Amino acid sequence: MAADAAPSGEAPPGRLAGHWVPLLVVAIGLGFGLLVLLVRLHLEPVANVDRGVARELNEVVSPRPYLVNALNGATRLGGRPVMFWLVGVAALLLLVRRRVRLAVYLLATTVGALLLDPSVKSLVGRLRPVVEVPVAIAPGNSFPSGHALGSMVVYGALLLVFLPAVRYRKLFTAAIALLVVAIGVTRIALGVHCLTDVLAGWLLGALWLSVTAYAFRLWRREAGHPVAPLDDGPEPEAAEAINPVPDSSRPIPHRWVKATEILTGWVFTFGILYVVGYLLTNHTEGTWLGRFDDGVVRWLQTLRTPTLDDVSWVWSKAGDTSAILVISLVFCTIALAVWRQWRPVVFLVLTMVGELILFLCTAASVKRDRPPVPQFDSPMPTSSFPSGHIAATMCIWVAIAVLIMDRVSSRWRWFAVVLAVVMPAGVALSRMYRGMHHPTDLLGAAILTALWVGLLWWVLRPNVRAAPAEMRT
């Protein structure tokens, strides 16, 4: 590496050399300490600046609901749920690629920030700002901003870890910096933090990130590993391992043709679902099918017990949006890490996106009533046909089984087939037990899954192996 060729182990000019990091840590620490001192002393000039900025932004934001919604959406990118997901998915990718040191570094850095935030908040004990027209609320103390601290640490650590695999490093770094700044600004604009809270969060986050990065650098040196400039990332030799897909992978050919086929198939699938749903809604009342539909749900109602109520709640949650999203993210991460191809991920993503749109469009068009029994769940914004929970569960587990069956040679691949049967069956039974769906709503979910997953399998051929780079056209 270029850094190894430099005299006395120094980094080349213009690179972030390691011996500057202690000075940077000291400078950031002094800046943060000064802010703590100014806030603890309750100096009037500092308080006036904080109040003035909060007042001006509140006057701009509070009369504009669309701006409040935009700020709330942006500020969620710095919240703990998003942070946990990002770190969890990244750590999983690193572990699958056998980059344990980087995974430990990422997790340790994130956990440290998670502990620093409440600790410093309790020590300083600053209350939240008071604005004339509150547009958001936040619990706990105000100094420092947890969103500013967390976004600086998490996005900064992710930047350092994956920097060796990034092609346009300056652009990527600028985008991350802009995102961190934007998250901090939203906290001030929403009136839940003062300017000095956000500045302190950024400084404390930068301080902790610098300390952990330098500690990782020292550990590499003590372990005998070559020490590279920090702007090459903490482990530059991991570039190939952390790259999601190697250069030899071939994208899906004839994209526009495939897109046309998928769109056409989606329209036909929607048409079939609409016809089935319309007939069930308008032409089954008083028939044997209508009596069967209501009879099954009423019979399940007679079996209700507190224990079965709890079990049905758990099974029902296995098919809701959050659970399906978790399964999709985890599986896509593992698929990229192990198979290093985009095609299986594209297949799974299109499966779930198409299922969601098909379900929403069909439910809005058919408008079938829920079964005429007491229902456990709160009133749902969608109608009964088809069941969104059952369709999502069927699609995700059937798509996973399709991918695994052709790519895993061991007997464990049959476990995916078992899940593709057991999970939808459990969700379907729980939804009918809870009075949310008829048996024919399950039929609609099965039709949706068979047509949509079958279409995507036929068009995308998700188990076709990648072609070498020289064969690309």
Side-chain angles (χ1 to χ4, degrees):
M1 300 178 64
D4 297 333
S8 304
E10 296 181 357
R15 311 293 290 276
L16 182 59
H19 58 268
W20 288 104
V21 177
L23 298 178
L24 180 64
V25 171
V26 171
I28 296 174
L30 290 175
F32 175 72
L34 179 60
L35 269 181
V36 173
L37 183 63
L38 293 175
V39 170
R40 290 289 293 170
L41 292 177
H42 304 287
L43 295 181
E44 193 62 26
V46 177
N48 288 337
V49 170
D50 278 340
R51 286 193 293 265
V53 172
R55 182 178 61 254
E56 293 293 333
L57 287 175
N58 185 251
E59 291 176 356
V60 173
V61 171
S62 59
R64 299 171 174 84
Y66 64 89
L67 189 54
V68 175
N69 293 333
L71 291 171
N72 279 320
T75 203
R76 291 191 185 98
L77 297 176
R80 288 187 177 180
V82 174
M83 299 287 110
F84 288 156
W85 277 118
L86 288 174
V87 173
V89 169
L92 180 61
L93 173 63
L94 293 171
L95 290 173
V96 173
R97 293 285 176 85
R98 299 182 180 179
R99 290 294 168 177
V100 179
R101 291 190 299 268
L102 284 178
V104 171
Y105 163 74
L106 181 62
L107 292 173
T109 303
T110 303
V111 171
L114 191 65
L115 298 176
L116 279 175
D117 177 40
S119 302
V120 178
K121 273 186 167 71
S122 62
L123 289 175
V124 177
R126 188 185 202 184
L127 298 178
R128 299 276 177 179
V130 178
V131 293
E132 185 175 355
V133 185
V135 296
I137 58 173
N141 292 320
S142 182
F143 185 97
S145 166
H147 280 64
L149 168 62
S151 61
M152 174 66 75
V153 171
V154 170
Y155 288 113
L158 290 172
L159 171 66
L160 288 176
V161 168
F162 291 98
L163 199 59
V166 175
R167 180 174 299 179
Y168 304 103
R169 294 185 179 181
K170 292 183 178 179
L171 181 61
F172 188 66
T173 303
I176 293 295
L178 182 62
L179 176 60
V180 172
V181 170
I183 291 171
V185 171
T186 63
R187 305 306 288 168
I188 307 173
L190 289 171
V192 294
H193 280 294
C194 300
L195 173 63
T196 48
D197 298 335
V198 172
L199 292 176
W202 286 337
L203 287 175
L204 183 58
L207 176 63
W208 177 244
L209 190 62
S210 301
V211 168
T212 56
Y214 192 63
F216 190 87
R217 178 185 177 89
L218 291 179
W219 174 84
R220 283 176 58 85
R221 179 181 296 168
E222 293 297 328
H225 298 286
V227 178
L230 287 179
D231 50 1
D232 278 340
E235 201 167 90
E237 64 271 18
E240 183 180 355
I242 63 179
N243 189 3
V245 177
D247 292 337
S248 61
S249 62
R250 180 182 181 183
I252 296 174
H254 313 299
R255 293 188 299 271
W256 294 110
V257 175
K258 301 295 185 184
T260 303
E261 293 173 347
I262 291 172
L263 181 59
T264 304
W266 186 96
V267 172
F268 275 100
T269 303
F270 169 73
I272 293 172
L273 287 171
Y274 174 76
V275 170
V276 174
Y278 177 83
L279 293 175
L280 290 173
T281 303
N282 298 284
H283 296 282
T284 59
E285 187 175 356
T287 66
W288 69 269
L289 185 56
R291 291 191 294 271
F292 169 78
D293 249 1
D294 293 340
V296 170
V297 181
R298 287 195 176 100
W299 173 71
L300 289 173
Q301 182 186 6
T302 63
L303 303 178
R304 290 179 177 178
T305 64
T307 301
L308 289 179
D309 293 349
D310 294 338
V311 172
S312 71
W313 182 85
V314 174
W315 270 111
S316 182
K317 285 297 180 182
D320 68 8
T321 303
S322 58
I324 297 301
L325 181 60
V326 169
I327 297 168
S328 301
L329 288 175
V330 171
F331 182 81
C332 286
T333 302
I334 296 176
L336 273 179
V338 175
W339 297 328
R340 311 192 79 166
Q341 288 182 308
W342 284 116
R343 191 179 296 230
V345 175
V346 172
F347 170 71
L348 189 67
V349 169
L350 287 180
T351 296
M352 301 318 300
V353 172
E355 178 276 328
L356 178 61
I357 301 175
L358 279 169
F359 156 66
L360 292 175
C361 292
T362 305
S365 302
V366 174
K367 298 180 180 178
R368 189 184 195 188
D369 293 333
R370 301 282 174 179
V373 296
Q375 297 159 9
F376 283 158
D377 299 341
S378 58
M380 306 293 288
T382 54
S383 60
S384 183
F385 181 92
S387 169
H389 283 68
I390 303 173
T393 307
M394 281 186 174
C395 282
I396 187 68
W397 289 110
V398 169
I400 290 175
V402 166
L403 293 172
I404 290 180
M405 282 296 292
D406 195 53
R407 291 173 177 267
V408 178
S409 58
S410 68
R411 288 176 295 178
W412 286 102
R413 63 181 182 173
W414 294 104
F415 184 63
V417 177
V418 173
L419 288 176
V421 175
V422 172
M423 293 302 296
V427 173
L429 188 59
S430 71
R431 297 303 288 170
M432 291 188 291
Y433 173 88
R434 299 179 70 81
M436 303 308 297
H437 289 289
H438 309 86
T440 48
D441 298 331
L442 165 62
L443 173 65
I447 293 173
L448 186 156
T449 302
L451 294 178
W452 183 239
V453 176
L455 169 71
L456 290 179
W457 175 85
W458 180 74
V459 172
L460 298 178
R461 302 296 181 183
N463 289 322
V464 172
R465 299 304 192 270
E470 60 268 14
M471 293 180 61
R472 296 181 188 175
T473 58

